[in-house]
DNA sequence: CGGTATCCCGTCCGATACTG
DNA sequence: CAGTATCGGACGGGATACCG
């Protein structure tokens, strides 16, 4: 049952899924929600360098894909909390593997890059 | 030793690593090399929809990062083989997890997307 | 606080054609 | 076979300012 989709096919929808995962900020946002719900400004503060525009777009995309949920408490002052859905939490596992790999192998890759001739 | 890098820091070099992983064709090329060395045209045929330009760029980038190696046999007609380096093979593990997740959860995500109002 | 609204620029990437 | 050359367009995303 797990082989119903094959990413190598040109028309396979799993490509759009991979595209979303590969988007600039997805990994950061999903990871930032790993420990529980967070508010907009919390996320913005935690993910250094992200602009409100990028954060909004990322949150909306992830919500559209059912990976996170948005809960507006409808208070004043406003309070909105974002949280991973069960689907989003399941993504956390492979994403953590990728993140750890990245953090682990930065030196190797930087070494390889520095071996390049600088044009 | 594994926490020397933290992707949440704005200046963290692991972000460039993630960026490379997230690039349009990286996942496909790395996965296509999982079973051993392959030639340019083999890859192009296996990864449906990729243009020679995109394939070349992806291969060069991966080579620059030390993830794949390029072996020109210097024959006529030309024969060039690409293969994963040990570093590239280590990436295969987290990438496979991501690919499987994507293939597995396509239905969930498509369902979520179809629940969206179509503007 | 939790976002929008603009503006704008780079770069990614597809299509197509050509070459050693 | 294994690429390069060229063009052009879509889009992601940064900077900045503003709003309910």
């Amino acid at each position: 049952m797990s082989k119903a989709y094959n990413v190598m096919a040109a028309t396979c929808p799993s490509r759009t899924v991979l595209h979303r995962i590969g988007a600039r900020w997805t990994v950061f946002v999903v990871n930032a929600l790993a420990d529980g719900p967070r508010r907009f400004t919390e996320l913005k503060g935690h993910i250094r360098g992200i602009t409100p525009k990028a954060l909004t777009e990322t949150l909306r995309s992830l919500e559209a894909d059912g990976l996170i949920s948005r809960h507006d408490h409808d208070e004043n002052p406003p309070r909105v909390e974002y949280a991973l859905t069960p689907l989003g939490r399941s993504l956390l596992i492979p994403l953590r593997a990728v993140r750890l790999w990245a953090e682990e192998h930065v030196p190797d890759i930087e070494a390889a890059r520095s071996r390049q001739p600088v044009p």
Side-chain angles (χ1 to χ4, degrees), chain A:
Chain A
M1 178 167 317
S2 69
K3 267 305 168 191
Y5 291 95
N6 171 13
V7 290
M8 292 307 176
T11 60
C12 184
S14 63
R15 288 196 175 188
T16 71
V17 177
L18 283 176
H19 190 249
R20 167 81 64 249
I21 294 175
R24 184 84 178 78
W25 295 105
T26 296
V27 178
F28 305 120
V29 170
V30 172
N31 270 303
L33 291 173
D35 298 330
R38 287 220 163 143
R39 302 173 66 172
F40 189 89
T41 307
E42 283 183 291
L43 289 169
K44 193 152 66 68
H46 190 68
I47 306 168
R48 307 313 305 259
I50 195 171
T51 62
K53 177 169 177 270
L55 180 55
T56 299
E57 287 171 354
T58 304
L59 289 170
R60 294 287 181 272
S61 298
L62 293 174
E63 191 189 3
D65 285 358
L67 296 169
I68 65 173
S69 63
R70 177 183 188 275
H71 182 24
D72 189 338
H73 292 256
D74 226 331
E75 300 173 355
N76 199 303
R79 186 159 68 94
V80 179
E81 285 191 321
Y82 294 93
L84 292 177
T85 62
L87 183 59
R89 234 171 288 125
S90 76
L91 176 59
L92 209 50
I93 295 154
L95 278 201
R96 178 159 41 222
V98 169
R99 199 195 76 233
L100 289 175
W101 187 93
E103 292 177 348
E104 190 83 25
H105 292 284
V106 164
D108 302 325
I109 291 187
E110 294 214 306
R113 285 179 182 174
S114 71
R115 274 192 293 276
Q116 291 303 114
V118 264

